[in-house]
Amino acid sequence: KNTPLQQLIGSRASTLHAEVMLVARCAREGIPTEGAWLFCVRPPCWECVKALLMAGVSRIVFQEPDSQASFARQREVVATTGAEWTHLPASSARLKYLQDFKVSTDTFLASSQRSPETNEENNS
């Protein structure tokens, strides 16, 4: 039986990129993707772009720049299909949120790695 996490992300192919897993999950759940927009941190790889365009995604928005020559093929194919390939840098508010989140996560992880005795002493 699948764990709740496997049910959430799909247990059939955990090594696939998130974009492909998303398209597959939508197909399994009957969620239409025609005209959908995808927001992601990095520009999708070639295999993911193909899957997204075949699923009908009309706009791909990403936070990190796609200045590498390796993304030229993705840009060209997306433009040919009439979809949009958009770089939208993170706002200063988002960058601050991510920095604060990292600090709180690092603090939590550091405290959870202490021995039980240390945690009991700190709670006294």
Side-chain angles (χ1 to χ4, degrees):
K1 184 172 174 164
N2 289 339
T3 67
L5 179 60
Q6 288 171 323
Q7 291 171 3
L8 176 67
I9 63 171
S11 61
R12 290 178 175 83
S14 62
T15 59
L16 292 174
H17 289 184
E19 298 90 340
V20 172
M21 290 176 64
L22 175 70
V23 169
R25 178 79 188 262
C26 288
R28 284 195 312 272
E29 301 291 332
I31 300 169
T33 54
E34 187 70 36
W37 294 9
L38 174 78
F39 291 85
C40 49
V41 174
R42 294 184 177 95
C45 72
W46 173 241
E47 294 301 320
C48 289
V49 164
K50 291 190 299 184
L52 293 167
L53 294 175
M54 291 303 296
V57 172
S58 64
R59 178 182 271 183
I60 301 169
V61 182
F62 45 89
Q63 183 175 304
E64 293 181 2
D66 67 333
S67 56
Q68 297 175 7
S70 63
F71 292 109
R73 181 169 52 169
Q74 285 94 311
R75 286 190 293 271
E76 180 182 346
V77 169
V78 169
T80 301
T81 65
E84 294 182 45
W85 178 263
T86 306
H87 171 235
L88 182 63
S91 67
S92 58
R94 173 133 174 93
L95 292 173
K96 180 173 179 353
Y97 167 80
L98 292 172
Q99 179 62 31
D100 292 347
F101 180 78
K102 182 181 181 329
V103 168
S104 64
T105 302
D106 290 348
T107 302
F108 171 77
L109 291 173
S111 68
S112 67
Q113 292 175 354
R114 292 187 197 138
S115 67
E117 298 81 29
T118 305
N119 284 335
E120 286 176 15
E121 291 170 10
N122 289 337
N123 291 331
S124 303

